[in-house]
Amino acid sequence: MKPTLLVLAAGMGSRYGSLKQLDGIGPNGETIMDYSVYDALRAGFGKVVFVIRHSFEDEFRRQIVGKYENHIPVEVVFQEIDKVPAGIPYNTERTKPWGTNHAIQMAADVIHEPFAVINSDDFYGCESYVLLADFLKKAANSSGRYCMIAYHVENTLSESGAVNRGVCRVDANRLLTSVVERTQIECNGGVIQYPAANGLYETLDKDALVSMNMWGFTPDYFDHSQTLFAEFVQQRGMDPKSEFYIPTVVDTLIETGKATCEVIDTPSKWFGVTYADDRPQVVLKINGLIRDGVYPQQLWK
């Protein structure tokens, strides 16, 4: 059974056509998503599911989905504000959906096998997809067996400014115990630091593992997620800015003993367009990978 790749792209709605998601950074206008799908295909994934908004469906199918025909099966599902459990009231003045884990739930009817979750605008590196596919294939007959692909923090920094990262804590078995959000991380004089609550700076080891929202789940995750989302809406549904995040669900399932999450260390370098000034560096990195033979000059023919 081949795993499925679930790409979270519903956040493109308010900025469709903008730099991050659709700007061509490859020599033939390839987007970061194109490289993600290409890496997943050659790592052994059997299907791609995109979570988007109805408002840009036609354009998305034309510009994005069409190029993958005859390469890998693709499905599109929709994340909308009104997709909440029946009978639970919520604030109808919300202007955006309910967060990353709500987006995952939208794929429950089309994914019945182990699956990976990624952001649409992050470049994760080919090695990460191989590690993720290998884990998911081995977990095919399991339940409650999840993983996170974790990056060395030095491989996720931006040359253009500070970044926020979730620093992973693991036990002796490399199982996730918590993700601690650290803000304004940057490298100064070769030292990676972030501001602490006392106004001083704390140091992070260059090999500290951080989450970049690259996860692997068995399909039982959908049932757990649905239950927890109903509780979330009951408690926080009237807050128009409340969001239901992936780490919130994973942490809850770990704490209640319903799941484990293995932290898999990747050698890949993550990159993305956090700042506008990042784009030239991303283009250079892609061109370098093409010169090194990691990718062909043209991805989709």
Side-chain angles (χ1 to χ4, degrees), residues 55-96:
S55 58
F56 55 83
E57 178 186 2
D58 291 344
E59 200 169 359
F60 187 87
R61 288 187 184 277
R62 184 173 62 253
Q63 293 192 33
I64 301 298
V65 176
K67 71 183 71 174
Y68 307 136
E69 291 181 358
N70 303 318
H71 293 286
I72 189 170
V74 176
E75 296 205 45
V76 176
V77 297
F78 304 98
Q79 182 185 21
E80 302 295 346
I81 295 170
D82 61 357
K83 291 192 175 182
V84 298
I88 302 178
Y90 66 93
N91 192 326
T92 56
E93 295 183 2
R94 288 188 71 95
T95 57
K96 65 177 184 177

Side-chain angles (χ1 to χ4, degrees), residues 1-3 112-115 133-143 145 217-220:
M1 179 185 297
K2 291 185 177 181
H112 307 288
E113 58 282 329
F115 64 101
D134 183 60
F135 176 92
L136 292 172
K137 289 172 185 177
K138 292 176 180 177
N141 297 315
S142 306
S143 62
R145 187 180 171 196
F217 298 115
T218 44
D220 57 281

